Amino acid sequence: MASVLRSPLSLSHHASASATSFPTAPHILRNLPPLQRRSCDFKNQIVCQSSYGEVTFIQPPKSAPSKADLDASLKIKLLSAVSGLNRGLAASEDDLRKADEAAKELEAAAGPVDLCADMDKLQGRWKLIYSSAFSSRTLGGSRPGPPTGRLLPITLGQVFQRIDVFSKDFDNIVELELGAPWPLPPVELTATLAHKFELIGSSGIKIMFDKTTVKATGNLAQLPALDVPRIPDALRPQSNTGSGEFEVTYLDSDTRITRGDRGELRVFVIA
């Protein structure tokens, strides 16, 4: 009651023999004797009974949240759902479900993406914070890739996508740490998988593989970069053609959601 009485928008006084007019809300608060709530006819209306008769306090109606506020709230929910999952490497089946549900809520609220109109928002260096494909415990996700764990001492570092909408360059940049026998220190590498890209429809992207470049970092940063020879197309397995397609399902100035051609959900933030 106290929170209502402090900021009423309007006041109406029901006719009675002892009717008295109250010109302002502060005047009411100072002079009315203790009120007793009698009834509530509407959600925003409280009728009180005093020795002066009935007094109705009308509360401000609660405004619906704006679309921007709703999107921001759902985005926070998604980022919270994927935090602490080590890009998806530590995700359980329940984590995968929660992340997918949170992404779908944000996608539905924001509506379809139109890359033809918002191509400039793709520009930049994006950091991968979640991939449902990493739950398979391989760096390739649902595609062929080296396993993480004890078979090969590979530790996955940060993963980025560098997109240039003018040159149509689309690079996947992966930081790796390779274990070495004691007492040698681990070898730190950055692998850049260079692609070209083109739009498919209003929200689809197709990437075409160009080359892979590996550069040592850390203690071996002085070594030159190495271009990894490309496997001839005739010898490349059908499951690894070097190209891929995905759909951008959410995009704003700092967050991007994509869904791959094999069902992978990925979440990026601008780096």
Side-chain angles (χ1 to χ4, degrees), residues 232-266:
D233 292 340
L235 301 178
R236 189 183 298 272
Q238 293 183 355
S239 59
N240 187 16
T241 62
S243 64
E245 297 179 8
F246 60 87
E247 183 180 4
V248 179
T249 56
Y250 178 83
L251 178 64
D252 64 18
S253 59
D254 57 25
T255 305
R256 176 164 56 97
I257 301 174
T258 67
R259 292 187 179 270
D261 52 6
R262 302 191 186 191
E264 309 97 327
L265 168 65
R266 294 187 174 95

Side-chain angles (χ1 to χ4, degrees), residues 9 44 58-64:
L9 284 188
N44 67 328
I58 301 178
Q59 304 177 89
K62 293 183 179 180
S63 58

Side-chain angles (χ1 to χ4, degrees), residues 174-177 186-191 214-224:
V174 183
E175 297 176 356
L176 298 170
E177 183 180 280
V187 178
E188 299 175 354
L189 303 172
T190 297
V214 177
K215 178 72 173 70
T217 58
N219 296 330
L220 301 178
Q222 71 277 10
L223 296 178

